[in-house]
Amino acid sequence: MKPLWLALLFALALAGPARAVSDPAEMLPDRAQELRAEAVGQQLRCLVCQNESVEDSDADLARDLRRIIRTRVQAGDSNKQVIAWMVARYGDFVRLRPPLRPLTWVLWFSPLLALLIGGGAAGLALRRKPAAAPPLSPAERKALADLLR
Amino acid sequence: MSGENLARRRLLLLAPLALASAAGAGFLVVLDRMKRGAYDPHTLANPLLGAPVPDFSLPAQPPATTGFDSAALRAAGGPVLVNFFASWCVPCEMEHPQLIALQRGGAQIWGIAYKDSSAAAAGLLSRNGNPYARLARDEPGRVAIDWGVYGVPETFLVDRTGIIRWHQAGPIMPETITETLQPLLRRYA
């Protein structure tokens, strides 16, 4: 039983959030500011690796962007201002959560659309009553009687 | 089973098949365009398109003795291709002959060495030839971020009024010159 417990503990230890910011020198001395910078960095895409956040990536550019986020947070920019600064340079693509705009309507509303189409189809199928079976012909009736005898 | 029912069943079977074939054909088109380099799912639209060049000032990259800034770029008086490159960048190596060809054809190319040591970038130019009319270096890569650069090579076309008209992330290939750059350079000349 003991090895199993150990394995579970080990798995739990590994399951914690993986951060590329392993270098304490990168972190801001002010804990609240550092947390805010991390929250912003996690919403921004690393342009080099594309499916990692700036906060999670090991890429050179991601490190530069982390540094910029921290200087701007220290300078008193709000989270929104920092994100707007990034969007001005890299476009909406830099945001891991796409904003709601006409271009992204399909993206945001497709689950609702799928639900409506699926629900409509299911409703129609349920509402349609099965057609009554036609009465048996004399020959069929005879065959049935023969079988049941 | 009645004939009408049979026809409906056939339709039910064929509809998904037709849908799958249409999707397959769509994928084939996308894959073909990716193979030809006409479509790259990784590129992103640079928000600077149609906007003036961002303010910057960069030191010289040898063999040039003076760097350049945004004012010089706006005052260049004709279309300028601004090319971010680095000696450590393999696609830049691929792009280099096209830059030389463009320069020979009369295009004005200004180079910015990105995150590179001065000596390494100068070495690359003395080895492969120097297509750049002016040269600056951005070793910290901070100016590149203001241009929305996320890797090298990246090239921008700046018109005579200092507005960015075209952008490409990734190497300029021979087709890029004939299909895109020559018409653009004529248009903004």
Side-chain angles (χ1 to χ4, degrees):
Chain A
M1 222 38 203
K2 216 174 192 177
L4 182 66
W5 273 112
L6 280 176
L8 275 175
L9 272 178
F10 190 60
L12 269 178
L14 282 181
R19 294 281 157 71
V21 192
S22 44
D23 185 2
E26 263 191 36
M27 297 210 259
L28 292 175
D30 183 315
R31 184 79 191 124
Q33 282 183 344
E34 171 62 26
L35 284 177
R36 200 150 75 74
E38 278 173 23
V40 171
Q42 266 155 23
Q43 294 174 54
L44 297 172
R45 185 189 305 272
C46 163
L47 285 313
V48 182
C49 7
Q50 302 213 341
N51 280 326
E52 273 187 305
S53 80
V54 160
E55 210 59 34
D56 291 331
S57 170
D58 249 337
D60 233 23
L61 181 66
R63 198 180 45 225
D64 292 350
L65 294 180
R66 280 201 294 275
R67 198 172 303 139
I68 290 170
I69 293 171
R70 277 158 182 78
T71 22
R72 303 214 68 89
V73 164
Q74 250 182 337
D77 274 16
S78 71
N79 293 11
K80 261 199 183 140
Q81 282 171 314
V82 180
I83 290 174
W85 191 96
M86 292 289 172
V87 169
R89 280 153 186 81
Y90 290 107
D92 277 335
F93 188 67
V94 80
R95 300 175 62 166
L96 279 171
R97 169 189 280 266
L100 190 60
R101 316 199 156 189
L103 191 71
T104 59
W105 280 355
V106 174
L107 179 71
W108 279 101
F109 297 129
S110 59
L112 193 71
L113 200 70
L115 201 67
L116 282 178
I117 294 175
L124 272 180
L126 283 177
R127 202 174 335 141
R128 187 179 298 142
K129 290 197 186 83
L136 296 180
S137 67
E140 282 169 336
R141 206 167 299 166
K142 189 175 172 300
L144 181 64
D146 281 348
L147 278 172
L148 289 176
R149 194 160 337 118
Chain B
M1 189 187 282
S2 71
E4 192 197 333
N5 243 341
L6 197 68
R8 203 152 105 210
R9 248 172 213 234
R10 234 177 234 150
L11 188 73
L12 273 176
L13 188 74
L14 282 179
L17 263 177
L19 211 67
S21 325
F27 278 128
L28 218 59
V29 170
V30 170
L31 282 176
D32 179 58
R33 280 172 49 99
M34 275 167 71
K35 211 166 72 185
R36 283 188 294 119
Y39 169 68
D40 178 3
H42 292 282
T43 55
L44 37 144
N46 190 303
L48 277 183
L49 283 178
V53 295
D55 289 328
F56 70 94
S57 176
L58 286 171
Q61 162 64 50
T65 47
T66 50
F68 58 83
D69 58 12
S70 36
L73 196 52
R74 287 179 202 126
V80 177
L81 288 168
V82 178
N83 177 246
F84 288 81
F85 71 99
S87 65
W88 46 261
C89 143
V90 178
C92 300
E93 199 76 32
M94 253 161 68
E95 177 181 68
H96 206 84
Q98 282 75 259
L99 294 182
I100 300 271
L102 276 166
Q103 183 244 338
R104 290 212 177 115
Q108 205 183 157
I109 314 173
W110 293 21
I112 298 178
Y114 171 77
K115 288 197 181 232
D116 207 354
S117 84
S118 165
L124 166 91
L125 297 175
S126 70
R127 238 184 0 263
N128 295 353
N130 178 6
Y132 301 111
R134 298 193 65 169
L135 270 163
R137 50 200 235 92
D138 182 16
E139 197 166 349
R142 182 60 187 74
V143 166
I145 289 176
D146 283 342
W147 283 73
V149 166
Y150 59 95
V152 275
E154 281 198 39
T155 309
F156 296 80
L157 176 71
V158 179
D159 74 6
R160 55 170 69 237
T161 59
I163 306 280
I164 293 172
R165 292 298 179 187
W166 175 83
H167 161 248
Q168 174 167 304
I172 291 173
M173 301 311 275
E175 308 85 74
T176 323
I177 298 182
T178 50
E179 286 168 18
T180 314
L181 279 174
Q182 279 170 350
L184 278 174
L185 285 169
R186 266 198 302 274
R187 186 162 147 208
Y188 291 108

